[in-house]
Structures are given as C-alpha cells and as structure tokens.
Amino acid sequence: MRAYIEGEHAFRSGSYLTAIDAFKRAVEADTEFALAYYRLSMTEERLAWAGASRRSAEAAYQHAQRLPV
C-alpha cells in the first residue's frame, strides 16, 4: 500500500516516471492489486505509452472483481 500511495502523490505532482516506478512496485507486491494496475495504466497513458497502458488496463480489468462495489 505504501508504494501505491507514493505513486498517487507522484502522479498528482506530475512526476509520471516516479509514479510508474511506485505503481509497479505496488503490483509486484500484490499481483492482484487492480487499482494499482489501473493507476499504472493511467500514468502510462499520460506518457503516450499505448502498449504498456493497454497491458496494465487489461490486468486491472482481470483483477477488478477484488474492487468494492
């Protein structure tokens, strides 16, 4: 969770590469962390990394059942 929060702070401050690193650490720690995959996808999209963004979005969708309704 700490890495995810670091990613959120970095994303909001416009430090996208730092955010990507943090979100990647979050999904490495929990490979089913759908929200971290989603935010990773959004960050990659900001950098126009279409392929990476698509893969992260697909991982988020795959694990979406873990998100509260």
Side-chain angles (χ1 to χ4, degrees), residues 35-68:
L35 189 54
Y37 278 115
Y38 172 71
R39 295 299 283 167
L40 175 60
S41 174
M42 290 181 63
T43 309
E44 292 164 336
E45 184 178 342
R46 288 280 174 115
L47 294 172
W49 296 358
S53 178
R54 188 176 313 109
R55 286 187 297 276
S56 296
E58 288 170 356
Y61 180 77
Q62 179 182 7
H63 301 293
Q65 72 275 5
R66 291 190 65 199
L67 294 173

Side-chain angles (χ1 to χ4, degrees), residues 4-26:
Y4 173 78
I5 293 170
E6 289 174 17
E8 283 294 325
H9 287 294
F11 181 86
R12 292 172 192 214
S13 70
S15 300
Y16 300 127
L17 294 176
T18 302
I20 285 174
D21 178 58
F23 290 133
K24 284 184 176 181
R25 285 185 284 120

